[in-house]
Amino acid sequence: MVDAILTTTAWESAKSTGIISEFDFDNSKTYKNISVQKMITDKTLDKLLDFYFDSATHEMQNLDKILIQFQIRFWELTGQEEMMVSLYSGST
């Protein structure tokens, strides 16, 4: 997580100074990967945690619905993780 934050900061600095135009294509592609990774950590995990900490999530009478919601959220997270593996391996 810390590496991702430092890498994102480095890319943002490179963009703001204009030096990013000197980077080769592979480095620019890495920035796309970092952007997707940021979306996962900023949005998907936050939504998952919000759902988990919502008091209604812990009402046992709605257990079946709650478990379905968790399943959907984890499928989304798993799909994003598979996409990240694909992006970082260079197959997309």
Side-chain angles (χ1 to χ4, degrees):
M1 194 81 119
V2 172
D3 286 342
I5 292 168
L6 292 175
T7 305
T8 300
T9 303
W11 275 108
E12 292 302 320
S13 297
K15 281 188 346 186
S16 68
T17 61
I19 195 71
I20 199 165
S21 63
E22 303 296 323
F23 291 178
D24 64 16
F25 177 73
D26 288 335
N27 286 333
S28 298
K29 187 175 156 187
T30 300
Y31 179 73
K32 174 186 164 192
N33 299 351
I34 292 168
S35 297
V36 173
Q37 184 175 339
K38 182 171 173 33
M39 177 200 65
I40 291 171
T41 57
D42 286 354
K43 294 184 180 177
T44 306
L45 290 176
D46 281 348
K47 287 179 185 178
L48 185 61
L49 287 173
D50 287 345
F51 184 68
Y52 177 76
F53 287 116
D54 185 346
S55 60
T57 301
H58 301 282
E59 295 177 10
M60 289 291 105
Q61 69 269 21
N62 296 324
L63 185 60
D64 289 341
K65 293 176 184 177
I66 292 165
L67 290 175
I68 289 170
Q69 286 297 314
F70 272 119
Q71 183 179 33
I72 291 168
R73 284 168 168 79
F74 277 102
W75 279 345
E76 179 180 1
L77 191 59
T78 302
Q80 290 172 343
E81 181 181 3
E82 289 173 2
M83 183 177 64
M84 289 304 304
V85 169
S86 175
L87 286 171
Y88 279 113
S89 69
S91 62
T92 49

